[in-house]
Amino acid sequence: MNESLRVALVATEASPLARHGGLGDVVAAVAHALVQRGHKVTLFLPAYRDAKFPTGARRTTAVAELRVPGPAGVEPAALIHVAMRRAPQVMLVHHRGDRRFFDRPGLWSDPADGTVYPDNAARYA
């Protein structure tokens, strides 16, 4: 049976946009392998301030506005489409709330001093 599936991968990191360690490599590899098998893959990632966009990547303005339920209530967000060559479709989740979950340096911690962000559980919930 060779059915094409629509797959949504939701992750905290994926190479090359956001990579802290092995997780970013694995998520990217799984997404690419699924695309090579003919599946339509959409990868959802946080819109980190420090995201590394490869040459030729194109970002759109917000394609959708969302209200995301979380442990501390409903948070406003937007989806931003990123088009990259030979890659799955990528949607960045841009947090628009007061806490600015992803508009800060680094992914998991402050690169200046290595302090882990104390709100990481809420950020990724």
Side-chain angles (χ1 to χ4, degrees):
M1 179 180 250
N2 289 339
E3 279 187 52
S4 177
L5 301 174
R6 294 179 62 146
V7 179
L9 292 177
V10 180
T12 56
E13 48 184 276
S15 296
L17 295 171
R19 180 186 178 276
H20 182 74
L23 175 63
D25 294 332
V26 170
V27 170
V30 167
H32 285 284
L34 289 169
V35 168
Q36 288 177 340
R37 285 169 176 74
H39 303 299
K40 181 169 175 48
V41 177
T42 303
L43 179 57
F44 292 87
L45 295 169
Y48 294 111
R49 177 196 304 173
D50 292 344
K52 309 283 189 258
F53 293 95
T55 302
R58 293 184 327 271
R59 289 172 274 183
T60 63
T61 55
V63 295
E65 296 289 331
L66 307 171
R67 303 214 18 97
V68 181
V74 176
E75 298 283 346
L79 289 180
I80 300 168
H81 180 253
V82 178
M84 296 185 293
R85 287 182 167 179
R86 298 182 300 276
Q89 176 171 271
V90 175
M91 300 297 278
L92 300 179
V93 179
H94 176 66
H95 181 251
R96 295 188 188 262
D98 293 334
R99 295 186 283 172
R100 299 289 181 217
F101 283 142
F102 308 114
D103 186 18
R104 54 180 85 166
L107 304 185
W108 305 98
S109 57
D110 188 336
D113 61 11
T115 304
V116 173
Y117 291 120
D119 62 346
N120 274 344
R123 293 171 73 207
Y124 297 107

